[in-house]
Amino acid sequence: MLKPVRGLGRFILNNIYKTLFPLKCSSCNKEGSFLCRSCEKKLEYLSKPEQSGTLPVYIEQLISCFPYKDPINSLIILGKYSFMPEVFAYLGKLSAAHLRRQRYDLKSYVLCPIPLSKQRQRWRGFNQSQKLCETFSKELRLPWRNFLERPKNTKTQKDLSRAGRQKNMKNSFALNPNLAAAIKGQQIILVDDVATTGATLSAAAEVLAQASAAKIIALTIARD
Ligand SMILES: [Zn+2]
């Protein structure tokens, strides 16, 4: 497990890391970018969203851009555990281009990131979902708001079973008190990096639905 590295320490480590390990294509190791042009062209996209029926009750549609496998999963892990927010700006741009090609009509929606607990956000230095929202906002010209907070520091979901994930997420989100009244009647896109069992998205959507959001869909980079 990585130890917490904060502020200046993380900044210095990040730069040492970048000097020691120059940017390489996650697929073929060619130097210069997260993915080289030719590997980028070979990426496999998901073309159809999942519709309600197979989804958690408050989520009407789940749009995921990629299957959760290499090189996308390596990039997500690199971004999260080597503290590189620019990976998510890159993945957000790739995904936004895919959404435009697929002609999704999202213009009446507001983007909302899945929040991290304060403790985890301090440790990572950024919230990957917020980084994705900022990128989608620019690329797709949609507003984004931090409607949610995460008061509890929940265990990381990736090592838990399906039932364990649901239990772990229960009551983990709360409304941002400054924006609670603004949720009513909104069409909201919950944004996260990966959807696995949907437990995180479901817990977040429940809080928004209780605050009278008109419609909630979810958008993730990858679907596991
Ligand atoms: Zn490559």
Side-chain angles (χ1 to χ4, degrees), residues 116-155:
L116 295 179
S117 68
K118 284 207 176 92
Q119 196 183 339
R120 184 156 288 264
Q121 179 141 357
R122 265 202 306 273
W123 174 72
R124 186 166 292 144
F126 66 97
N127 172 1
Q128 68 277 9
S129 302
Q130 185 173 317
K131 198 72 211 167
L132 290 170
C133 277
E134 288 166 6
T135 309
F136 286 135
S137 176
K138 253 186 254 161
E139 297 287 320
L140 303 171
R141 296 169 181 269
L142 299 173
W144 73 273
R145 314 288 298 268
N146 266 323
F147 286 128
L148 297 171
E149 289 184 344
R150 194 163 190 162
K152 273 204 300 184
N153 189 39
T154 42
K155 276 188 246 170

Short mmCIF file of all heavy atoms in Angstrom, two decimals, residues 116-155:
data_model
loop_
_atom_site.label_atom_id
_atom_site.label_comp_id
_atom_site.label_asym_id
_atom_site.label_seq_id
_atom_site.Cartn_x
_atom_site.Cartn_y
_atom_site.Cartn_z
N LEU A 116 -14.95 12.32 -3.35
CA LEU A 116 -14.08 11.50 -2.50
C LEU A 116 -14.21 12.03 -1.08
O LEU A 116 -14.57 13.19 -0.88
CB LEU A 116 -12.62 11.65 -2.93
CG LEU A 116 -12.21 11.15 -4.30
CD1 LEU A 116 -10.72 11.43 -4.52
CD2 LEU A 116 -12.49 9.66 -4.45
N SER A 117 -13.89 11.20 -0.10
CA SER A 117 -13.82 11.71 1.27
C SER A 117 -12.66 12.71 1.32
O SER A 117 -11.73 12.64 0.51
CB SER A 117 -13.58 10.58 2.25
OG SER A 117 -12.28 10.07 2.07
N LYS A 118 -12.72 13.63 2.31
CA LYS A 118 -11.65 14.64 2.44
C LYS A 118 -10.30 13.97 2.58
O LYS A 118 -9.31 14.38 2.00
CB LYS A 118 -11.93 15.52 3.65
CG LYS A 118 -13.02 16.53 3.39
CD LYS A 118 -12.85 17.78 4.27
CE LYS A 118 -13.87 18.83 3.94
NZ LYS A 118 -15.09 18.70 4.78
N GLN A 119 -10.31 12.89 3.37
CA GLN A 119 -9.05 12.17 3.64
C GLN A 119 -8.44 11.61 2.35
O GLN A 119 -7.25 11.78 2.09
CB GLN A 119 -9.36 11.04 4.61
CG GLN A 119 -8.15 10.45 5.28
CD GLN A 119 -8.55 9.27 6.17
OE1 GLN A 119 -9.69 9.14 6.59
NE2 GLN A 119 -7.61 8.40 6.44
N ARG A 120 -9.28 10.96 1.53
CA ARG A 120 -8.77 10.37 0.29
C ARG A 120 -8.36 11.45 -0.72
O ARG A 120 -7.38 11.30 -1.43
CB ARG A 120 -9.80 9.41 -0.32
CG ARG A 120 -9.30 8.70 -1.56
CD ARG A 120 -10.01 7.40 -1.82
NE ARG A 120 -9.61 6.39 -0.86
CZ ARG A 120 -8.67 5.48 -1.07
NH1 ARG A 120 -8.03 5.43 -2.21
NH2 ARG A 120 -8.37 4.60 -0.16
N GLN A 121 -9.14 12.50 -0.75
CA GLN A 121 -8.80 13.58 -1.69
C GLN A 121 -7.47 14.23 -1.32
O GLN A 121 -6.67 14.55 -2.19
CB GLN A 121 -9.92 14.62 -1.75
CG GLN A 121 -9.57 15.76 -2.71
CD GLN A 121 -10.74 16.25 -3.54
OE1 GLN A 121 -11.84 15.74 -3.46
NE2 GLN A 121 -10.49 17.27 -4.33
N ARG A 122 -7.23 14.38 -0.01
CA ARG A 122 -5.93 14.93 0.43
C ARG A 122 -4.79 14.01 0.02
O ARG A 122 -3.75 14.43 -0.43
CB ARG A 122 -5.92 15.10 1.95
CG ARG A 122 -6.29 16.50 2.42
CD ARG A 122 -5.77 16.76 3.82
NE ARG A 122 -6.20 15.75 4.76
CZ ARG A 122 -7.35 15.78 5.43
NH1 ARG A 122 -8.18 16.77 5.26
NH2 ARG A 122 -7.66 14.81 6.26
N TRP A 123 -5.03 12.71 0.18
CA TRP A 123 -4.01 11.73 -0.14
C TRP A 123 -3.69 11.74 -1.64
O TRP A 123 -2.54 11.78 -2.05
CB TRP A 123 -4.49 10.34 0.31
CG TRP A 123 -3.57 9.23 -0.11
CD1 TRP A 123 -2.33 8.95 0.41
CD2 TRP A 123 -3.80 8.26 -1.14
NE1 TRP A 123 -1.79 7.87 -0.24
CE2 TRP A 123 -2.67 7.43 -1.18
CE3 TRP A 123 -4.87 8.02 -2.01
CZ2 TRP A 123 -2.56 6.37 -2.08
CZ3 TRP A 123 -4.77 6.96 -2.90
CH2 TRP A 123 -3.62 6.15 -2.93
N ARG A 124 -4.75 11.75 -2.46
CA ARG A 124 -4.53 11.70 -3.91
C ARG A 124 -4.17 13.07 -4.47
O ARG A 124 -3.50 13.17 -5.49
CB ARG A 124 -5.77 11.13 -4.61
CG ARG A 124 -5.55 10.90 -6.09
CD ARG A 124 -6.62 10.03 -6.71
NE ARG A 124 -6.56 8.67 -6.24
CZ ARG A 124 -7.60 7.90 -6.01
NH1 ARG A 124 -8.82 8.34 -6.23
NH2 ARG A 124 -7.45 6.67 -5.57
N GLY A 125 -4.66 14.12 -3.82
CA GLY A 125 -4.36 15.47 -4.29
C GLY A 125 -5.38 15.98 -5.30
O GLY A 125 -5.36 17.15 -5.67
N PHE A 126 -6.26 15.13 -5.76
CA PHE A 126 -7.31 15.54 -6.71
C PHE A 126 -8.39 14.46 -6.69
O PHE A 126 -8.17 13.36 -6.19
CB PHE A 126 -6.74 15.70 -8.12
CG PHE A 126 -6.27 14.40 -8.75
CD1 PHE A 126 -7.08 13.69 -9.62
CD2 PHE A 126 -5.01 13.88 -8.46
CE1 PHE A 126 -6.66 12.49 -10.20
CE2 PHE A 126 -4.58 12.68 -9.04
CZ PHE A 126 -5.41 11.99 -9.91
N ASN A 127 -9.56 14.82 -7.23
CA ASN A 127 -10.63 13.83 -7.38
C ASN A 127 -10.74 13.51 -8.88
O ASN A 127 -11.04 14.39 -9.68
CB ASN A 127 -11.94 14.42 -6.83
CG ASN A 127 -13.13 13.53 -7.13
OD1 ASN A 127 -13.01 12.46 -7.72
ND2 ASN A 127 -14.30 13.99 -6.73
N GLN A 128 -10.51 12.26 -9.21
CA GLN A 128 -10.50 11.88 -10.64
C GLN A 128 -11.86 12.15 -11.30
O GLN A 128 -11.93 12.52 -12.47
CB GLN A 128 -10.07 10.43 -10.84
CG GLN A 128 -10.99 9.35 -10.33
CD GLN A 128 -10.82 9.07 -8.85
OE1 GLN A 128 -10.12 9.79 -8.13
NE2 GLN A 128 -11.45 8.02 -8.36
N SER A 129 -12.97 11.97 -10.54
CA SER A 129 -14.30 12.22 -11.12
C SER A 129 -14.49 13.70 -11.42
O SER A 129 -15.10 14.07 -12.42
CB SER A 129 -15.40 11.77 -10.16
OG SER A 129 -15.24 10.42 -9.86
N GLN A 130 -13.94 14.54 -10.53
CA GLN A 130 -14.05 15.98 -10.77
C GLN A 130 -13.20 16.39 -11.98
O GLN A 130 -13.61 17.20 -12.80
CB GLN A 130 -13.61 16.76 -9.53
CG GLN A 130 -13.82 18.24 -9.70
CD GLN A 130 -13.56 19.01 -8.42
OE1 GLN A 130 -13.97 18.60 -7.34
NE2 GLN A 130 -12.85 20.10 -8.54
N LYS A 131 -12.02 15.80 -12.08
CA LYS A 131 -11.16 16.07 -13.25
C LYS A 131 -11.90 15.68 -14.53
O LYS A 131 -11.85 16.40 -15.54
CB LYS A 131 -9.88 15.24 -13.10
CG LYS A 131 -8.75 15.70 -13.95
CD LYS A 131 -8.15 16.99 -13.45
CE LYS A 131 -7.61 17.79 -14.61
NZ LYS A 131 -7.31 19.16 -14.25
N LEU A 132 -12.60 14.55 -14.50
CA LEU A 132 -13.38 14.12 -15.67
C LEU A 132 -14.51 15.12 -15.95
O LEU A 132 -14.75 15.47 -17.10
CB LEU A 132 -13.95 12.72 -15.45
CG LEU A 132 -12.93 11.58 -15.46
CD1 LEU A 132 -13.57 10.27 -14.99
CD2 LEU A 132 -12.32 11.40 -16.85
N CYS A 133 -15.21 15.56 -14.89
CA CYS A 133 -16.30 16.55 -15.07
C CYS A 133 -15.77 17.83 -15.71
O CYS A 133 -16.40 18.38 -16.61
CB CYS A 133 -16.94 16.90 -13.73
SG CYS A 133 -18.18 15.71 -13.23
N GLU A 134 -14.62 18.30 -15.24
CA GLU A 134 -14.05 19.54 -15.79
C GLU A 134 -13.77 19.36 -17.28
O GLU A 134 -14.02 20.25 -18.09
CB GLU A 134 -12.75 19.90 -15.06
CG GLU A 134 -12.98 20.41 -13.64
CD GLU A 134 -11.70 20.44 -12.79
OE1 GLU A 134 -10.60 20.17 -13.33
OE2 GLU A 134 -11.81 20.69 -11.60
N THR A 135 -13.24 18.19 -17.63
CA THR A 135 -12.91 17.92 -19.04
C THR A 135 -14.19 17.79 -19.88
O THR A 135 -14.30 18.39 -20.95
CB THR A 135 -12.05 16.66 -19.16
OG1 THR A 135 -10.96 16.77 -18.26
CG2 THR A 135 -11.52 16.46 -20.57
N PHE A 136 -15.16 17.01 -19.38
CA PHE A 136 -16.43 16.87 -20.12
C PHE A 136 -17.12 18.22 -20.26
O PHE A 136 -17.72 18.51 -21.29
CB PHE A 136 -17.37 15.90 -19.39
CG PHE A 136 -16.98 14.46 -19.53
CD1 PHE A 136 -16.98 13.62 -18.42
CD2 PHE A 136 -16.61 13.93 -20.75
CE1 PHE A 136 -16.62 12.28 -18.53
CE2 PHE A 136 -16.23 12.60 -20.88
CZ PHE A 136 -16.24 11.77 -19.76
N SER A 137 -17.04 19.03 -19.21
CA SER A 137 -17.68 20.33 -19.24
C SER A 137 -17.11 21.18 -20.38
O SER A 137 -17.86 21.79 -21.15
CB SER A 137 -17.46 21.01 -17.88
OG SER A 137 -17.97 22.30 -17.89
N LYS A 138 -15.78 21.18 -20.51
CA LYS A 138 -15.14 21.94 -21.58
C LYS A 138 -15.46 21.35 -22.95
O LYS A 138 -15.82 22.05 -23.88
CB LYS A 138 -13.62 21.89 -21.39
CG LYS A 138 -13.03 23.19 -20.91
CD LYS A 138 -11.51 23.11 -20.88
CE LYS A 138 -11.02 22.99 -19.46
NZ LYS A 138 -9.68 22.48 -19.31
N GLU A 139 -15.31 20.03 -23.05
CA GLU A 139 -15.42 19.38 -24.36
C GLU A 139 -16.87 19.32 -24.86
O GLU A 139 -17.11 19.35 -26.06
CB GLU A 139 -14.87 17.95 -24.27
CG GLU A 139 -13.40 17.87 -23.94
CD GLU A 139 -12.52 18.29 -25.10
OE1 GLU A 139 -12.83 17.93 -26.24
OE2 GLU A 139 -11.51 18.99 -24.86
N LEU A 140 -17.82 19.15 -23.94
CA LEU A 140 -19.21 18.97 -24.35
C LEU A 140 -20.08 20.19 -24.03
O LEU A 140 -21.29 20.17 -24.24
CB LEU A 140 -19.80 17.72 -23.66
CG LEU A 140 -19.05 16.41 -23.91
CD1 LEU A 140 -19.59 15.30 -23.01
CD2 LEU A 140 -19.14 15.98 -25.37
N ARG A 141 -19.44 21.22 -23.49
CA ARG A 141 -20.14 22.46 -23.13
C ARG A 141 -21.33 22.21 -22.22
O ARG A 141 -22.47 22.62 -22.49
CB ARG A 141 -20.61 23.20 -24.38
CG ARG A 141 -19.44 23.65 -25.22
CD ARG A 141 -19.91 24.13 -26.58
NE ARG A 141 -18.79 24.53 -27.40
CZ ARG A 141 -18.30 25.78 -27.44
NH1 ARG A 141 -18.84 26.73 -26.76
NH2 ARG A 141 -17.26 26.04 -28.21
N LEU A 142 -21.08 21.52 -21.12
CA LEU A 142 -22.12 21.26 -20.12
C LEU A 142 -21.65 21.85 -18.79
O LEU A 142 -20.46 21.85 -18.50
CB LEU A 142 -22.31 19.74 -19.93
CG LEU A 142 -22.76 18.94 -21.14
CD1 LEU A 142 -22.75 17.46 -20.81
CD2 LEU A 142 -24.16 19.37 -21.58
N PRO A 143 -22.61 22.32 -17.97
CA PRO A 143 -22.20 22.80 -16.64
C PRO A 143 -21.90 21.62 -15.70
O PRO A 143 -22.36 20.50 -15.97
CB PRO A 143 -23.44 23.55 -16.14
CG PRO A 143 -24.58 22.94 -16.89
CD PRO A 143 -24.04 22.45 -18.21
N TRP A 144 -21.10 21.86 -14.67
CA TRP A 144 -20.94 20.81 -13.66
C TRP A 144 -21.05 21.41 -12.27
O TRP A 144 -20.67 22.56 -12.06
CB TRP A 144 -19.63 20.04 -13.85
CG TRP A 144 -18.36 20.76 -13.49
CD1 TRP A 144 -17.62 21.58 -14.30
CD2 TRP A 144 -17.68 20.73 -12.24
NE1 TRP A 144 -16.54 22.06 -13.63
CE2 TRP A 144 -16.54 21.57 -12.36
CE3 TRP A 144 -17.91 20.09 -11.02
CZ2 TRP A 144 -15.64 21.77 -11.31
CZ3 TRP A 144 -17.01 20.29 -9.98
CH2 TRP A 144 -15.90 21.12 -10.12
N ARG A 145 -21.60 20.66 -11.33
CA ARG A 145 -21.78 21.13 -9.95
C ARG A 145 -21.43 20.01 -8.99
O ARG A 145 -21.76 18.85 -9.24
CB ARG A 145 -23.26 21.51 -9.65
CG ARG A 145 -23.97 22.34 -10.66
CD ARG A 145 -23.53 23.79 -10.73
NE ARG A 145 -23.72 24.57 -9.52
CZ ARG A 145 -24.80 25.29 -9.23
NH1 ARG A 145 -25.83 25.29 -10.04
NH2 ARG A 145 -24.85 26.03 -8.15
N ASN A 146 -20.82 20.40 -7.87
CA ASN A 146 -20.55 19.43 -6.80
C ASN A 146 -21.78 19.28 -5.91
O ASN A 146 -21.83 19.81 -4.82
CB ASN A 146 -19.39 19.94 -5.92
CG ASN A 146 -18.07 19.37 -6.38
OD1 ASN A 146 -17.97 18.22 -6.79
ND2 ASN A 146 -17.03 20.18 -6.29
N PHE A 147 -22.79 18.55 -6.37
CA PHE A 147 -24.02 18.42 -5.60
C PHE A 147 -23.84 17.55 -4.34
O PHE A 147 -24.64 17.61 -3.43
CB PHE A 147 -25.13 17.78 -6.45
CG PHE A 147 -25.71 18.70 -7.50
CD1 PHE A 147 -25.79 18.29 -8.83
CD2 PHE A 147 -26.20 19.96 -7.15
CE1 PHE A 147 -26.34 19.12 -9.80
CE2 PHE A 147 -26.74 20.79 -8.12
CZ PHE A 147 -26.82 20.37 -9.43
N LEU A 148 -22.81 16.70 -4.36
CA LEU A 148 -22.68 15.70 -3.28
C LEU A 148 -21.42 15.90 -2.45
O LEU A 148 -20.43 16.47 -2.91
CB LEU A 148 -22.66 14.30 -3.89
CG LEU A 148 -23.92 13.86 -4.64
CD1 LEU A 148 -23.67 12.56 -5.38
CD2 LEU A 148 -25.09 13.71 -3.67
N GLU A 149 -21.49 15.36 -1.24
CA GLU A 149 -20.32 15.30 -0.36
C GLU A 149 -20.17 13.86 0.11
O GLU A 149 -21.10 13.07 0.02
CB GLU A 149 -20.53 16.19 0.87
CG GLU A 149 -20.49 17.65 0.55
CD GLU A 149 -20.59 18.52 1.79
OE1 GLU A 149 -20.99 18.02 2.87
OE2 GLU A 149 -20.27 19.71 1.66
N ARG A 150 -18.99 13.56 0.63
CA ARG A 150 -18.75 12.21 1.14
C ARG A 150 -18.17 12.31 2.55
O ARG A 150 -16.96 12.39 2.71
CB ARG A 150 -17.76 11.51 0.21
CG ARG A 150 -17.68 10.03 0.43
CD ARG A 150 -17.02 9.46 -0.80
NE ARG A 150 -17.05 8.04 -0.86
CZ ARG A 150 -16.85 7.37 -1.98
NH1 ARG A 150 -16.60 8.01 -3.10
NH2 ARG A 150 -16.87 6.07 -1.99
N PRO A 151 -19.07 12.37 3.53
CA PRO A 151 -18.58 12.60 4.90
C PRO A 151 -17.77 11.45 5.47
O PRO A 151 -16.82 11.67 6.22
CB PRO A 151 -19.86 12.82 5.71
CG PRO A 151 -21.01 12.63 4.80
CD PRO A 151 -20.52 12.29 3.44
N LYS A 152 -18.12 10.21 5.09
CA LYS A 152 -17.41 9.05 5.65
C LYS A 152 -16.22 8.68 4.79
O LYS A 152 -16.25 8.83 3.58
CB LYS A 152 -18.34 7.82 5.63
CG LYS A 152 -19.23 7.67 6.82
CD LYS A 152 -19.65 6.21 7.00
CE LYS A 152 -20.41 5.62 5.82
NZ LYS A 152 -20.88 4.24 6.06
N ASN A 153 -15.19 8.15 5.43
CA ASN A 153 -14.09 7.61 4.64
C ASN A 153 -14.31 6.11 4.45
O ASN A 153 -13.92 5.31 5.27
CB ASN A 153 -12.75 7.89 5.33
CG ASN A 153 -11.58 7.54 4.45
OD1 ASN A 153 -11.62 7.78 3.24
ND2 ASN A 153 -10.57 6.94 5.02
N THR A 154 -14.99 5.75 3.36
CA THR A 154 -15.30 4.33 3.14
C THR A 154 -14.06 3.57 2.66
O THR A 154 -13.15 4.17 2.09
CB THR A 154 -16.40 4.18 2.06
OG1 THR A 154 -16.11 5.10 1.01
CG2 THR A 154 -17.76 4.48 2.63
N LYS A 155 -14.08 2.28 2.89
CA LYS A 155 -12.99 1.43 2.38
C LYS A 155 -13.00 1.47 0.87
O LYS A 155 -14.04 1.67 0.25
CB LYS A 155 -13.24 -0.03 2.80
CG LYS A 155 -12.77 -0.36 4.19
CD LYS A 155 -12.89 -1.86 4.39
CE LYS A 155 -13.94 -2.16 5.44
NZ LYS A 155 -14.31 -3.54 5.57
#
